[in-house]
Amino acid sequence: MLRRHGWSHQVPARRAVERDEEKVAGWVKDVWPHVEPPRRRSKPGSSSKTKPDSR
């Protein structure tokens, strides 16, 4: 759809000069685990809507 209108998706040409890789790595390690929602573990189940899954 973007190309039909003569647009393209935006991609940064380079990283910001002010970027501090050490601070980014620290943030990813310390803050991101608290921000990111926990992943759901898949459980065996039933594909039937009327029959509950058996264990």
Side-chain angles (χ1 to χ4, degrees):
M1 187 163 110
L2 291 174
R3 288 183 191 231
R4 270 190 265 156
H5 295 285
W7 297 349
S8 65
H9 62 280
Q10 295 180 355
V11 178
R14 56 187 163 75
R15 295 207 183 251
V17 175
E18 300 88 6
R19 183 179 172 108
D20 185 355
E21 293 296 333
E22 291 180 15
K23 286 185 180 181
V24 171
W27 184 89
V28 169
K29 181 181 173 189
D30 299 332
V31 178
W32 181 244
H34 301 291
V35 175
E36 182 180 35
R39 295 184 180 179
R40 295 184 195 175
R41 298 188 184 259
S42 61
K43 297 185 230 175
S46 174
S47 61
S48 172
K49 292 182 180 181
T50 58
K51 180 179 173 186
D53 59 321
S54 59
R55 294 189 182 217

